[in-house]
Amino acid sequence: MHLDSAMSQRVTFNNKLLPYLLLAPQMLVTLVFFFWPAYQAARSSLYLPDPFGLSEQYVGLENFTFLLEDPYYRASFLTTATFSALVAAISMGAALWLAVMADRVIKGSGAYRTLLIWPYAVAPAIAGVLWLFMFNPSIGVAPYYLKALGYNWNHVLNPGEAMGLVVAASAWKQVSYNFLFFLAGLQAIPKSVIEAAAIDGAGFWRRFRTIVFPLLSPTTFFLLVVNVVYAFFETFGVIHTITAGGPQQATTILVYKVYSDGFVGQDLGSSAAQSVILLLVVGVLTIVQFRFIERKVHY
Amino acid sequence: MADVSLRAVRKSYGKTEVIHGVDIDIADGEMIVIVGPSGCGKSTLLRMVAGLEDITAGEIGIGGRVVNDLEPRERDIAMVFQNYALYPHMSVRQNLAYGLKIAKMDKVEIARRVDKAATLLQIGEYLNRKPRQLSGGQRQRVAMGRAIVREPSVFLFDEPLSNLDAKLRVQMRMEIKNLQHELGVTALYVTHDQVEAMTMADRMIVMNAGVAEQIGAPLEVYNNPQSKFVGGFIGSPPMNFLPTGAVTAPASTTEIGVRPEHLRFCAPGAGLFDGTLKFQEALGAEMLLHLQDATGRVIVMRVETRDAPALGTETVSVTADPADILFFDANGKRA
């Protein structure tokens, strides 16, 4: 009773200005760092600047039509789809497996967890450099042993290997994050439900398939959204350090193309148009995920 | 249907022993209630029978088969959990059918058993609902149903009624008892509620600190408690314990025990206890009187409401028939 009345009590301000003042810092940050750049990108996507950046000319949707006819841009879409699907699948799969194993460990579970969480503290660029050194075709440890096994690793020349390497580095970095959420999700499942299933005759894998995994679905869904967004944007550092989008643009995902066309190629109009498209793609993806996948989620 | 036997069953976590050797033979179709305060090891004992906890030492047999090293699913048991442990993402029908499906039972047979259990428990109209759409009592029934459909040899109940309100609890305990009787399935039932234990048990095990203090029929345990703990735990209000005083008692007696309903008023100074009437608790037909003596010791007496004296400061004396007085030694055992 007492708690209820305390909870339902609303804080009221007598001063009409105070709420706005309290909101102002957050609003300012949002406006300056989110809305203004977004507006700038949307605006520049309709213009074509001259080579010296001194003037610009309104070109309507020409930047977009040019892009959609560009085979390199269309290839980048496919690259991004492959890359994100692989990163999300591998990092979530590995994290789920580790979480299930860590959940079963009783002795020393704290140590396992701490160690598994560490990679998350590594910055993307550092992670990229780490994997770059390990797999460097001339001095790396991995190619050295691969060569001993008769395999000649060279991701600088081989598009497939380059993709594999950036996927591995990106997924590896995200495993910790996914692991944390999966472990928390596993521990939130009442133990008695698992025990009831065991008494009902379900073995470990059957319990996992029919009880644990369905009950984890809110976590899985949340992580799917997070991981796809991660693969789309935050993997920039990894790609930039390891492959810089190559070879033959094999690892140029959309966000990397925004950068390389805009800041390396100095085609600001096209770059802006690409970021607008990217924005739409992520928006649509998120809506699709919430509309169609969330329906199958058991909360 | 099977008998169950526990032979010197012990449980340790690391170096801490929590169950110090329990022995009992449970006959086929018998309902055994394990009762005791929290932390006495009663749930652990049940979970050992279920196979959810390892057996540190001793032997558990179900239907003449030693089950120590068998998985829960191989023991032919069904368990009802305190929080029901229903599968939240499955409908009631799927919950009931889950175990049967795993046993690769024929679909027609599954449907028959589910419908039969649903009719028996009056949950037929909820079969397509999810557990979260059910009330506590309905969930309880579904949990029961999940145990029944498997037609196991032994039912295990782990405080199944403790999440229900008082009225529903009274109703459900009779239903469970009836159901168990009708199905004739051996049952082990854990509770901390001595009323549940008294009303449901064919025989009860009173546990204290990992030891089975007494095993017997409810009234036998009530009338003839083998230790001070049992006398104090079974019965509400509990047994009164008094100094031996002038009572003729075996030599080793340090305390005597008297049930509240066995006390009656007597001439001043001629009884077991002299005190003043401090409180009255009116239960309706009966009244509980709290008497306090000069040393501060309080005893509780149960009288018919119409016989209850008024509260006051004058000293009253109470006594009991010698046949109703129990003698306890320094170890809390019967002298």
Short mmCIF file of all heavy atoms in Angstrom, two decimals, chain B residues 215-235:
data_model
loop_
_atom_site.label_atom_id
_atom_site.label_comp_id
_atom_site.label_asym_id
_atom_site.label_seq_id
_atom_site.Cartn_x
_atom_site.Cartn_y
_atom_site.Cartn_z
N ILE B 215 9.26 -41.65 12.41
CA ILE B 215 8.49 -42.09 11.25
C ILE B 215 7.28 -42.82 11.79
O ILE B 215 7.41 -43.74 12.61
CB ILE B 215 9.33 -43.03 10.36
CG1 ILE B 215 10.57 -42.30 9.84
CG2 ILE B 215 8.49 -43.55 9.20
CD1 ILE B 215 11.56 -43.19 9.11
N GLY B 216 6.09 -42.40 11.37
CA GLY B 216 4.91 -43.09 11.86
C GLY B 216 3.64 -42.48 11.33
O GLY B 216 3.67 -41.45 10.64
N ALA B 217 2.51 -43.11 11.66
CA ALA B 217 1.21 -42.58 11.26
C ALA B 217 1.00 -41.24 11.96
O ALA B 217 1.50 -41.05 13.07
CB ALA B 217 0.12 -43.56 11.61
N PRO B 218 0.26 -40.31 11.34
CA PRO B 218 0.13 -38.97 11.91
C PRO B 218 -0.31 -38.95 13.36
O PRO B 218 0.32 -38.28 14.19
CB PRO B 218 -0.93 -38.32 11.01
CG PRO B 218 -0.80 -39.01 9.70
CD PRO B 218 -0.40 -40.41 10.02
N LEU B 219 -1.34 -39.70 13.71
CA LEU B 219 -1.83 -39.63 15.09
C LEU B 219 -0.86 -40.27 16.06
O LEU B 219 -0.71 -39.81 17.20
CB LEU B 219 -3.20 -40.29 15.21
CG LEU B 219 -4.34 -39.37 14.75
CD1 LEU B 219 -5.68 -40.08 14.88
CD2 LEU B 219 -4.34 -38.06 15.52
N GLU B 220 -0.18 -41.30 15.58
CA GLU B 220 0.83 -41.95 16.44
C GLU B 220 1.95 -40.95 16.75
O GLU B 220 2.40 -40.84 17.88
CB GLU B 220 1.36 -43.18 15.70
CG GLU B 220 2.43 -43.93 16.43
CD GLU B 220 3.20 -44.83 15.46
OE1 GLU B 220 2.56 -45.36 14.54
OE2 GLU B 220 4.43 -44.98 15.65
N VAL B 221 2.36 -40.22 15.72
CA VAL B 221 3.41 -39.22 15.92
C VAL B 221 2.91 -38.12 16.84
O VAL B 221 3.62 -37.67 17.74
CB VAL B 221 3.86 -38.62 14.57
CG1 VAL B 221 4.80 -37.44 14.78
CG2 VAL B 221 4.51 -39.68 13.71
N TYR B 222 1.65 -37.74 16.66
CA TYR B 222 1.09 -36.66 17.48
C TYR B 222 0.99 -37.09 18.94
O TYR B 222 1.38 -36.36 19.85
CB TYR B 222 -0.29 -36.28 16.94
CG TYR B 222 -0.91 -35.11 17.66
CD1 TYR B 222 -0.57 -33.81 17.33
CD2 TYR B 222 -1.83 -35.32 18.68
CE1 TYR B 222 -1.13 -32.73 18.00
CE2 TYR B 222 -2.40 -34.25 19.34
CZ TYR B 222 -2.03 -32.96 19.00
OH TYR B 222 -2.58 -31.90 19.66
N ASN B 223 0.46 -38.29 19.16
CA ASN B 223 0.20 -38.73 20.53
C ASN B 223 1.45 -39.24 21.23
O ASN B 223 1.51 -39.22 22.45
CB ASN B 223 -0.85 -39.85 20.53
CG ASN B 223 -2.21 -39.32 20.14
OD1 ASN B 223 -2.54 -38.17 20.42
ND2 ASN B 223 -2.99 -40.13 19.45
N ASN B 224 2.39 -39.70 20.44
CA ASN B 224 3.52 -40.39 21.05
C ASN B 224 4.83 -39.90 20.45
O ASN B 224 5.58 -40.68 19.89
CB ASN B 224 3.33 -41.89 20.82
CG ASN B 224 4.18 -42.71 21.76
OD1 ASN B 224 4.77 -42.15 22.70
ND2 ASN B 224 4.28 -44.00 21.49
N PRO B 225 5.10 -38.60 20.52
CA PRO B 225 6.33 -38.09 19.90
C PRO B 225 7.57 -38.67 20.57
O PRO B 225 7.61 -38.75 21.79
CB PRO B 225 6.23 -36.58 20.10
CG PRO B 225 5.32 -36.40 21.26
CD PRO B 225 4.35 -37.54 21.23
N GLN B 226 8.52 -39.10 19.75
CA GLN B 226 9.70 -39.75 20.30
C GLN B 226 10.76 -38.76 20.76
O GLN B 226 11.74 -39.15 21.36
CB GLN B 226 10.31 -40.70 19.26
CG GLN B 226 9.43 -41.89 18.95
CD GLN B 226 9.09 -42.69 20.20
OE1 GLN B 226 9.98 -43.13 20.92
NE2 GLN B 226 7.81 -42.86 20.48
N SER B 227 10.57 -37.48 20.44
CA SER B 227 11.55 -36.49 20.91
C SER B 227 10.85 -35.17 21.18
O SER B 227 9.72 -34.94 20.74
CB SER B 227 12.65 -36.30 19.86
OG SER B 227 12.13 -35.64 18.74
N LYS B 228 11.56 -34.32 21.90
CA LYS B 228 11.05 -33.00 22.23
C LYS B 228 10.78 -32.23 20.95
O LYS B 228 9.80 -31.50 20.81
CB LYS B 228 12.11 -32.27 23.05
CG LYS B 228 11.58 -31.59 24.28
CD LYS B 228 12.68 -30.80 24.97
CE LYS B 228 12.31 -29.33 24.94
NZ LYS B 228 13.28 -28.48 25.63
N PHE B 229 11.70 -32.41 19.96
CA PHE B 229 11.53 -31.68 18.70
C PHE B 229 10.21 -32.04 18.03
O PHE B 229 9.47 -31.17 17.60
CB PHE B 229 12.70 -31.98 17.75
CG PHE B 229 12.46 -31.42 16.38
CD1 PHE B 229 12.73 -30.09 16.13
CD2 PHE B 229 11.91 -32.20 15.38
CE1 PHE B 229 12.47 -29.55 14.89
CE2 PHE B 229 11.65 -31.67 14.13
CZ PHE B 229 11.93 -30.34 13.89
N VAL B 230 9.92 -33.34 17.96
CA VAL B 230 8.70 -33.78 17.29
C VAL B 230 7.48 -33.24 18.03
O VAL B 230 6.54 -32.72 17.42
CB VAL B 230 8.66 -35.32 17.19
CG1 VAL B 230 7.33 -35.78 16.60
CG2 VAL B 230 9.81 -35.82 16.35
N GLY B 231 7.51 -33.32 19.36
CA GLY B 231 6.39 -32.81 20.15
C GLY B 231 6.17 -31.34 19.92
O GLY B 231 5.04 -30.86 19.82
N GLY B 232 7.27 -30.61 19.82
CA GLY B 232 7.17 -29.17 19.62
C GLY B 232 6.80 -28.80 18.20
O GLY B 232 6.16 -27.78 17.96
N PHE B 233 7.21 -29.63 17.22
CA PHE B 233 6.98 -29.26 15.82
C PHE B 233 5.59 -29.66 15.35
O PHE B 233 4.95 -28.93 14.60
CB PHE B 233 8.04 -29.92 14.93
CG PHE B 233 8.00 -29.41 13.52
CD1 PHE B 233 8.53 -28.16 13.22
CD2 PHE B 233 7.40 -30.16 12.52
CE1 PHE B 233 8.47 -27.67 11.93
CE2 PHE B 233 7.34 -29.67 11.23
CZ PHE B 233 7.88 -28.42 10.93
N ILE B 234 5.14 -30.83 15.76
CA ILE B 234 3.82 -31.29 15.33
C ILE B 234 2.79 -30.87 16.37
O ILE B 234 2.95 -31.13 17.55
CB ILE B 234 3.81 -32.84 15.17
CG1 ILE B 234 4.87 -33.27 14.16
CG2 ILE B 234 2.44 -33.33 14.75
CD1 ILE B 234 4.65 -32.78 12.75
N GLY B 235 1.74 -30.25 15.92
CA GLY B 235 0.71 -29.75 16.82
C GLY B 235 0.76 -28.24 16.85
O GLY B 235 1.83 -27.64 16.88
#
